Amino acid sequence: MSGPSPAPSLLRIPFTEGTIRYRARWIFPVTSPPLESATIEIVGGRVAAIHTRHEPRAIDLCNTALIPGLVNAHTHLEFSGLAAPLGPAAPFPDWIQSVVTHRNTRTLGIAELVSTGWGESVANGVTALGEIATDDLIFGAAARCGFRGVVFRELLGFSPDRIDAQWEVARHHLEAARELQNPALSGGLSPHAPYSVHPRLFERLVELAIAESAPVAMHLAETRDELELLSQGTGTFRRLLESFGIWRDDVLARGSRPLDYLRILARAPRSLVVHGNYLAADEIEFLAGQPQVTVVYCPRTHAYFGHSPHPWREMLRRGIPVALGTDSRASNPDLSLWGEVMFLRRKVTDFPPDKLLEMATGAGARALGMKESGAIAVGALAEIACVPLKGDATEAYCHLLSP
Ligand SMILES: [Zn+2]
């Protein structure tokens, strides 16, 4: 073998009345062990069979691996036009300031950015996204480019006088999602983060999500600055909020912590804790009893900001669902979830590769409520990515994830 495994691309399966068959060196169903020299049969866009019998009618994909389409559980496509991450990476509130400035000065429209980001995702084997949207035009743009996944509407409002208006934005978003009647595209809510959302607005948004059976995604325990703001009302985030003219001393109760938010998030039918970099031991303990809550780890974004090691392996040991995300191009050089997989493969060499692939497929699909994605299984949608392999190897995962 030579060099790292190339990125996958989604298999474009032509529509046909009959059965279409592909043979590949390996097929990775993810929910069961890999099959060598295997054939997949597809009928009407769904997987009809997977087997290792010789099938002369199969299209031979030669030295490739078929894996489920990847699921990127967290991104913001509005930053898809960036050629490089925004700086500075630290202190974090300064990066937030750069994000705000970029948002106010960029020239590309949301439709073009969504289309660009979705195109880049598909070109890297992604079949579904957990997208955080700040624009009401998102559904039209997403539907036009064939987007699949959940569009979480970002809600921002630290001041109490914004609560009613932001709640109304959320209600409208879920209504618009429902009216689409698109099984591949659904709506969710994203109260942005504890430093940007009034606690009462956060609670009301979760109540709305429960009433509408919608998922919730929140950036939580991302930085130590956030923990300081919650516990003491001091630090760089306070200075940032003061510079925006929105700091109020009575919004966050002293002694607040991510656990207060986790308890409320856990009431939603499904929720995504984005990052969770600095969750404490008792907060991880709490999550261990909440299988409806998925932690989304964004490895290269985590590294970009130079955070302390992420507790994702401890979370997995405790049975907490952990999915992978790229986050946006504002903190990552690209939107390739495969890039995250290979980054971890090189960095954490003793981690089981089958579990790594599961984090990039099934875990994200479950977090987004996409029951028919994330695995190659009989009866499931044929959302399949094809990985060109290098050289030869007798062990399937070594061949697929050659670092
Ligand atoms: Zn994010």
Side-chain angles (χ1 to χ4, degrees):
M1 276 182 291
S2 57
S5 304
S9 55
L10 278 187
L11 200 58
R12 297 193 182 279
I13 301 164
F15 181 79
T16 164
E17 291 287 310
T19 304
I20 184 156
R21 301 172 179 84
Y22 296 100
R23 182 170 58 239
R25 171 70 196 276
W26 302 100
I27 292 179
F28 291 79
V30 173
T31 44
S32 57
L35 299 172
E36 188 168 9
S37 298
T39 296
I40 184 167
E41 300 187 8
I42 296 161
V43 179
R46 288 181 183 272
V47 178
I50 315 162
H51 57 77
T52 53
R53 295 188 302 275
H54 180 66
E55 173 51 76
R57 290 168 294 177
I59 299 164
D60 192 356
L61 298 174
C62 305
N63 196 24
T64 61
L66 299 183
I67 63 173
L70 304 173
V71 180
N72 181 356
H74 180 70
T75 191
H76 308 244
L77 294 182
E78 65 171 304
F79 300 106
S80 299
L82 284 169
L86 294 173
F92 189 71
D94 286 7
W95 179 83
I96 294 270
Q97 182 67 63
S98 296
V99 167
V100 172
T101 304
H102 171 74
R103 215 176 240 161
N104 293 335
T105 54
R106 67 181 168 222
T107 51
L108 292 177
I110 193 68
E112 195 169 355
L113 291 165
V114 167
S115 170
T116 299
W118 176 250
E120 182 185 352
S121 301
V122 169
N124 285 280
V126 166
T127 191
L129 290 177
E131 154 71 351
I132 309 289
T134 54
D135 196 303
D136 288 334
L137 300 173
I138 181 78
F139 282 130
R144 276 194 296 281
C145 67
F147 176 102
R148 301 185 74 260
V150 178
V151 176
F152 295 90
R153 183 61 157 94
E154 184 170 278
L155 291 314
L156 291 159
F158 192 75
S159 312
D161 56 9
R162 282 176 58 92
I163 293 176
D164 288 345
Q166 284 290 283
W167 186 88
E168 193 55 39
V169 168
R171 192 194 62 74
H172 180 259
H173 177 77
L174 295 181
E175 191 176 290
R178 215 176 24 247
E179 283 171 2
L180 278 177
Q181 297 191 335
N182 181 342
L185 177 51
S186 59
L189 301 180
S190 181
H192 173 253
Y195 55 83
S196 54
V197 175
H198 191 288
R200 181 63 195 135
L201 172 59
F202 169 58
E203 275 203 80
R204 285 189 60 190
L205 292 171
V206 174
E207 286 163 13
L208 178 61
I210 294 167
E212 300 278 340
S213 300
V216 182
M218 185 182 213
H219 298 86
L220 189 65
E222 184 172 4
T223 61
R224 289 203 180 89
D225 305 271
E226 178 191 322
L227 301 191
E228 181 185 342
L229 186 82
L230 285 174
S231 65
Q232 299 160 54
T234 56
T236 52
F237 266 120
R238 173 167 173 162
R239 290 196 285 281
L240 180 75
L241 295 173
E242 284 173 342
S243 76
F244 291 152
I246 56 174
W247 171 254
R248 292 271 304 257
D249 207 41
D250 57 351
V251 169
L252 298 171
R254 296 292 175 271
S256 298
R257 51 185 305 217
L259 185 60
D260 304 324
Y261 292 82
L262 291 178
R263 289 189 197 286
I264 295 168
L265 278 174
R267 296 180 200 154
R270 266 179 298 108
S271 50
L272 291 80
V273 170
V274 179
H275 305 307
N277 300 334
Y278 294 97
L279 289 175
D282 62 337
E283 291 167 333
I284 292 173
E285 173 76 31
F286 173 78
L287 283 181
Q290 310 293 335
Q292 75 284 20
V293 182
T294 297
V295 173
V296 183
Y297 172 37
C298 303
R300 288 185 294 164
T301 285
H302 181 275
Y304 176 69
F305 289 117
H307 292 303
S308 301
H310 193 284
W312 60 282
R313 294 185 76 175
E314 169 64 10
M315 290 169 173
L316 287 171
R317 270 193 291 276
R318 305 298 305 274
I320 298 167
V322 180
L324 294 180
T326 57
D327 215 331
S328 78
R329 271 176 166 263
S331 56
N332 205 351
D334 57 55
L335 296 176
S336 170
L337 198 74
W338 189 252
E340 309 299 334
V341 170
M342 295 309 292
F343 175 84
L344 285 184
R345 178 73 169 148
R346 284 188 285 270
K347 189 166 177 261
V348 195
T349 51
D350 64 333
F351 187 70
D354 56 334
K355 289 196 171 58
L356 184 54
L357 189 60
E358 212 284 323
M359 288 166 72
T361 53
R366 287 190 294 280
L368 298 181
M370 303 185 78
K371 294 191 182 80
E372 298 197 295
S373 301
I376 299 180
V378 173
L381 292 173
E383 293 167 6
I384 295 160
C386 181
V387 186
L389 297 174
K390 289 191 169 181
D392 195 19
T394 52
E395 203 286 312
Y397 277 101
C398 286
H399 205 182
L400 175 70
L401 299 172
S402 171

